[in-house]
Amino acid sequence: MATQPHGNEEESEDVELHAESISASSRITVGRQVFGEYAKCHSLPQNPEDLETHMREAAKIMNVTVVDSISHQFEPHGLTVAMILSTSHFVIHTWPEYRCASVDIFSCSDDMKFEVGLEHLRNVFGAEKLIWIKVPRGIAGLLRDFRNEIKQQLLKEPLQEMREPESS
């Protein structure tokens, strides 16, 4: 995409979480959401049709049904494809100039196989690195219990290669 990453190599953004305290008996998990980052990608799709095809393959592998999709190609480069699933959504954004992509998958199905879909896309993108986290979703307050785990996983390995575009 044409937007620039925030900050520079010296800075790192902290994960920001806000949650109100609720009792354990009030918490209901209604789904799971995966946030992932692919880095050092050697073969990102260059058009929305190819990315959508690979996402449909991943959806099938993950055991979910695609209901609809929409895509956008950015100028001068970059793609976003968003899919509505029978169980929620699946979105990928690419930044070829930084050789990276971000994925967001939400599902209320216990049968969704996130891991195999993420690995399939890692192979498709030729990504040397994949960092992801799965978070239970539901009634407010769930994230409070996972604050330290989320921060540790997201900040464990900064993706420095996303900071500087490759020269063409």
Side-chain angles (χ1 to χ4, degrees):
M1 288 182 216
T3 59
Q4 298 295 316
H6 301 289
N8 61 44
E9 288 186 29
E10 313 306 317
E11 301 172 352
S12 69
E13 292 186 33
D14 201 5
V15 176
E16 199 171 313
L17 299 172
H18 303 276
E20 295 179 16
S21 179
I22 63 172
S23 69
S25 62
S26 300
R27 295 183 194 150
I28 300 170
T29 299
V30 295
R32 285 136 228 67
Q33 190 161 12
V34 169
F35 304 99
E37 304 295 333
Y38 294 94
K40 295 186 178 181
C41 298
H42 298 285
S43 54
L44 286 172
Q46 298 299 307
N47 63 66
E49 296 80 17
D50 287 346
L51 180 55
E52 182 175 336
T53 296
H54 296 307
M55 290 174 68
R56 285 183 183 277
E57 292 167 354
K60 184 175 182 178
I61 292 168
M62 291 186 288
N63 197 33
V64 294
T65 303
V66 176
V67 175
D68 201 1
S69 66
I70 188 167
S71 64
H72 181 73
Q73 185 157 8
F74 293 88
E75 293 298 329
H77 36 67
L79 306 170
T80 293
V81 174
M83 294 183 160
I84 303 301
L85 305 176
S86 60
T87 59
S88 200
H89 71 261
F90 179 16
V91 181
I92 293 181
H93 309 282
T94 70
W95 289 267
E97 69 273 34
Y98 298 104
R99 294 176 43 209
C100 68
S102 294
V103 62
D104 173 9
I105 309 169
F106 185 97
S107 179
C108 57
S109 169
D110 291 332
D111 297 327
M112 186 169 193
K113 299 172 178 77
F114 292 100
E115 295 87 352
V116 293
L118 292 169
E119 282 301 320
H120 170 75
L121 291 168
R122 179 184 195 156
N123 293 331
V124 167
F125 298 162
E128 291 181 26
K129 295 183 184 249
L130 167 59
I131 298 171
W132 63 274
I133 184 169
K134 181 166 47 172
V135 179
R137 296 296 306 269
I139 302 298
L142 282 173
L143 290 178
R144 178 180 55 88
D145 295 341
F146 300 95
R147 180 178 303 144
N148 290 334
E149 180 183 348
I150 291 169
K151 281 186 177 183
Q152 287 173 0
Q153 287 186 35
L154 291 177
L155 299 175
K156 188 186 314 181
E157 185 178 349
L159 300 177
Q160 297 299 330
E161 60 273 30
M162 292 173 63
R163 301 290 185 193
E164 295 185 28
E166 290 195 356
S167 55
S168 302

